[in-house]
Amino acid sequence: MNIQELLNFSVQQGSSDLHITAGMPPLIRVDGDIRRINVYPMDHKEVHGLIYEIMNDRQRKDYEEHLESDFSFEVPGLARFRVNAFVQNRGAAAVFRTIPSKVLTM
């Protein structure tokens, strides 16, 4: 599973956030409730690879130096995402906050 597939699924489900963390299956937040995605738990190496795949060199350096990095990422035609990538006790992790391409009206 790659990061674009996870983000596509997350947006299709109407979630506000996608959480990926080593040792657990991915999670999505829908209407404030956290739900597990029905896929296998990912290990540190898999999560680390998903995160590094979308980072540029400056973001990778920041992540290595500070064990976290905040940046944005866009899947054209889907949405933009605010990303917080970090290292925790189980290993690599990241939270992707969905920023819709179309701004909703009040």
Side-chain angles (χ1 to χ4, degrees):
M1 178 157 288
N2 66 42
I3 195 64
Q4 188 158 345
E5 290 171 326
L6 288 170
L7 292 171
N8 282 333
F9 179 80
S10 176
V11 170
Q12 288 171 358
Q13 298 301 307
S15 75
S16 60
D17 302 279
L18 168 68
H19 300 253
I20 56 173
T21 184
M24 294 183 64
L27 306 168
I28 57 174
R29 181 184 307 271
V30 179
D31 297 328
D33 294 326
I34 298 289
R35 301 176 185 172
R36 286 185 180 202
I37 296 176
N38 191 20
V39 298
Y40 62 92
M42 293 185 281
D43 63 21
H44 168 76
K45 188 174 180 178
E46 290 172 298
V47 174
H48 188 268
L50 290 176
I51 295 167
Y52 259 50
E53 175 183 322
I54 63 169
M55 287 180 166
N56 63 34
D57 289 339
R58 184 187 60 74
Q59 293 159 346
R60 288 182 188 119
K61 183 178 182 213
D62 190 41
Y63 180 76
E64 292 298 326
E65 288 179 9
H66 304 287
L67 301 179
E68 77 171 323
S69 181
D70 294 314
F71 58 96
S72 65
F73 176 71
E74 181 177 10
V75 176
L78 181 67
R80 290 181 50 84
F81 301 89
R82 189 173 64 221
V83 183
N84 175 241
F86 54 97
V87 177
Q88 61 174 358
N89 60 346
R90 286 189 301 265
V95 178
F96 295 78
R97 168 62 55 101
T98 304
I99 310 297
S101 296
K102 294 182 180 180
V103 178
L104 303 175
T105 62
M106 294 292 281

